Amino acid sequence: MPSKPKLSMVIAYARARFEAVAKVDPEPAVRLLSELGYDGAEISVLEPEEVGELSKIVKDHGLEIPAVGTGLNYLHFGLSLTSPDESLRTRAREKIGKIIDAASRSDIKGVIIGLIRGKGEEWEQIDQPINLLLEEMKKIAEEASKKNVLLYLEPLNRYESKLINRVEEGLRFLEELGADNVYLLLDTFHMNIEERSIEEAIRLAGEKIGHFHVADSNRLAPGMGHLDFVRILGALRDTGYMGYVSAEIQTKPDFEAAAKITISTLRRALEVLE
């Protein structure tokens, strides 16, 4: 492997209501990631001003922010791009727009569209929320393009959303959307549930992969479940992807241990592929 993807972990402020993210005091957490040899710290935020706050901490420790997550806004405030309530859709779109602007001002490349798209459970027919999502994403993609920010649409497993569960569905959505600044974010935890083969799904996504999340089969650190990260990272290499591999995990038994296990597992896998 002539060159390697960069490694990061997803962090958020301790108040975050999402278990599969490191809920931390950011300064010591980022310092530890830097000491362990990580290249970046992905951030998950509730408010746009958090982007600037966290960006300063991350940059002060010589790391990068590969992407900004927005899903906490669904979990905390119910903001959803596919809600039957038009006011919630508008608030979701406006919040994403403000986060995009904050990301642009902090020289962050991408913003994630994950849980903030909603679950689709309020609708009888799946095409209803999908059409709403297309409508909203076209507006968001246009605004992001003006700020030179990419959007990463994440296929989620069926237990978290009915909307876009598999890579194939994500690619179909991107084709219909027709926005050249929208890519897929693939996540090994979700793919392990939804895809017949994680490696085949990665190769299918190919050049449409904009960002990549890793978690083991149990959503713990890579190396604490049964996924084969040599094969997974080998498939990712085959696509030519050279962006970030970012751990979005439950940090058990604690943040430091999870960070150490993650980077050790991923480094070993990358060494095997050299």
Side-chain angles (χ1 to χ4, degrees):
M1 203 169 182
S3 55
K4 300 176 182 179
K6 296 179 179 181
L7 304 180
S8 69
M9 280 189 69
V10 186
I11 64 168
Y13 283 111
R15 66 179 177 273
R17 297 177 189 166
F18 185 49
E19 292 307 312
V21 67
K23 296 182 284 187
V24 295
D25 179 354
E27 201 286 327
V30 173
R31 183 173 66 248
L32 175 65
L33 293 180
S34 178
E35 291 170 352
L36 291 175
Y38 281 86
D39 304 287
E42 182 182 324
I43 60 174
S44 184
V45 304
L46 275 169
E47 301 298 340
E49 54 266 27
E50 295 174 13
V51 176
E53 295 167 5
L54 292 169
S55 178
K56 183 180 186 308
I57 293 170
V58 172
K59 290 177 181 178
D60 283 350
H61 287 282
L63 303 185
E64 299 175 313
I65 297 177
V68 182
T70 59
L72 293 179
N73 282 275
Y74 175 81
L75 295 172
H76 285 245
F77 307 134
L79 300 189
S80 164
L81 294 173
T82 58
S83 172
D85 184 336
E86 184 179 358
S87 68
L88 286 177
R89 297 199 303 272
T90 300
R91 286 172 58 198
R93 184 178 69 249
E94 290 175 347
K95 177 64 77 71
I96 293 169
K98 291 176 182 177
I99 291 172
I100 287 169
D101 183 62
S104 175
R105 285 186 278 107
S106 293
D107 296 319
I108 298 169
K109 181 180 178 181
V111 170
I112 296 167
I113 307 296
L115 282 170
I116 202 165
R117 68 169 168 272
K119 294 187 176 184
E121 293 174 342
E122 309 93 334
W123 302 93
E124 291 184 6
Q125 302 294 329
I126 199 68
D127 61 337
Q128 295 172 297
I130 288 292
N131 288 337
L132 276 177
L133 186 58
L134 278 167
E135 180 182 325
E136 297 294 347
M137 284 292 291
K138 285 176 182 177
K139 298 172 187 175
I140 296 166
E142 185 176 350
E143 289 303 309
S145 181
K146 294 175 185 176
K147 303 288 176 62
N148 294 313
V149 171
L150 302 177
L151 299 177
Y152 302 138
L153 178 67
E154 183 178 18
L156 301 172
N157 74 75
R158 72 194 76 174
Y159 306 109
E160 295 188 28
S161 178
K162 293 183 177 181
L163 309 176
I164 309 175
N165 305 127
R166 293 180 291 110
V167 165
E168 181 182 3
E169 295 167 350
L171 291 172
R172 193 161 57 242
F173 184 90
L174 292 193
E175 185 174 0
E176 192 166 353
L177 182 65
D180 60 9
N181 63 327
V182 184
Y183 291 80
L184 294 183
L185 189 176
L186 303 192
D187 186 310
T188 59
F189 176 75
H190 299 300
M191 287 191 288
N192 185 55
I193 295 171
E194 295 295 339
E195 305 290 351
R196 187 177 71 84
S197 163
I198 293 176
E199 294 80 25
E200 288 179 11
I202 291 169
R203 293 189 178 99
L204 177 65
E207 63 183 14
K208 290 298 183 181
I209 302 173
H211 192 44
F212 199 83
H213 278 171
V214 287
D216 219 317
S217 53
N218 46 19
R219 219 168 200 176
L220 299 179
M224 296 182 72
H226 61 65
L227 296 187
D228 185 338
F229 285 95
V230 173
R231 293 180 61 182
I232 288 168
L233 295 180
L236 191 61
R237 175 194 59 184
D238 292 346
T239 70
Y241 177 82
M242 289 310 304
Y244 267 86
V245 171
S246 191
E248 186 184 56
I249 58 175
Q250 294 183 22
T251 51
K252 298 178 181 179
D254 55 52
F255 175 74
E256 182 174 352
K260 288 178 177 178
I261 293 167
T262 294
I263 199 165
S264 175
T265 300
L266 297 179
R267 279 176 168 169
R268 282 199 307 269
L270 291 170
E271 288 169 2
V272 170
L273 293 167
E274 287 182 343

